[in-house]
Amino acid sequence: MTTAAPPLSETVLSALATVFDPELDQPVTELGFVRSVTIDDAGVEVHLRLPTSFCAPNFAYLMVSDAYDALAALPDAGRVRVVLDDHHDSAKINAGVAARAGYVGTFGVEAEQSLDELRRTFQRKAHLAAVERCCRAVLAGGAWTLEELPLLELLDLPEDRLKIALLRRREAIGLPADAHARVVVDHTAAPVGKQDTALWLRLAAATRISIEGNAHFCRGLLATRYADPEGTAPVVVTSRSRS
């Protein structure tokens, strides 16, 4: 028996859910950054919105470009358009992404370098925060002590959302995901020494709190800007002609 393919609208939203705000480390769909999706015979058009008109252009470009790439990879998407609304660089970003000009090609002399290193920096921070969440949960469970954390392996973690999130972040920065891989490592896979574990955990917690605090702040700004009390209004999906 053949399973019916999901509607294109579901596929599009699933693809957008793989696009993360690089600094906040959360999907643009969960942050409320997807304003609308329109699907017609020509293709898919998505409008994005941000908490303020002056959000950093490099972050804005990353999200628009990543959304375009995620949708362009769908076999039935047709022509893809991703439009950033209400940003002071909307016109420049939208034109650059549509032309596939890249960040440097879009911003010219205003762009000091490509966004690769910026993306890597935030991926490393996201990994650090994910490790801290897993360690905090393990310590709270009582089966491990702070002194034992350097010995913690992936197989020792519960099969839950925290581990899934950690594995995704390890994959993003090229760390091994085999069962016996150590959990408490830096972005190069170098283990944290026993004598450094307490300090490392405090620094990791500070990184996590910063990421979560920024996400909360941005949700509040978005809710105020667009009169959305929850900050996460449902995405408006419009289909014309095709399902």
Side-chain angles (χ1 to χ4, degrees), residues 131 134-135 138 144-145 148-160 163 166-167 170 176-185 191:
V131 175
C134 287
C135 288
V138 165
W144 291 75
T145 65
E148 294 170 331
L149 278 185
L151 302 177
L152 188 68
E153 298 179 344
L154 288 177
L155 64 83
D156 298 313
L157 296 177
E159 299 296 330
D160 58 14
K163 182 175 182 178
L166 175 61
L167 291 175
R170 288 179 71 103
D178 56 280
H180 292 287
R182 293 289 174 89
V183 173
V184 184
V185 297

Side-chain angles (χ1 to χ4, degrees), residues 109-126:
V109 295
E110 298 176 50
E112 295 180 2
Q113 58 186 6
S114 74
L115 296 182
D116 292 343
E117 186 56 37
L118 178 69
R119 188 192 297 274
R120 283 191 289 270
T121 295
F122 283 110
Q123 287 174 335
R124 291 164 185 166
K125 288 183 177 181

Side-chain angles (χ1 to χ4, degrees), residues 169-222:
R169 288 159 176 82
R170 288 179 71 103
E171 180 183 9
I173 61 175
L175 294 183
D178 56 280
H180 292 287
R182 293 289 174 89
V183 173
V184 184
V185 297
D186 67 15
H187 66 272
T188 68
V192 175
K194 183 177 179 180
Q195 70 280 5
D196 300 321
T197 304
L199 176 59
W200 175 88
L201 203 58
R202 287 197 293 271
L203 293 173
T207 299
R208 172 186 58 78
I209 292 169
S210 175
I211 292 173
E212 292 174 353
N214 286 339
H216 179 75
F217 180 64
C218 285
R219 279 196 174 93
L221 289 175
L222 189 75

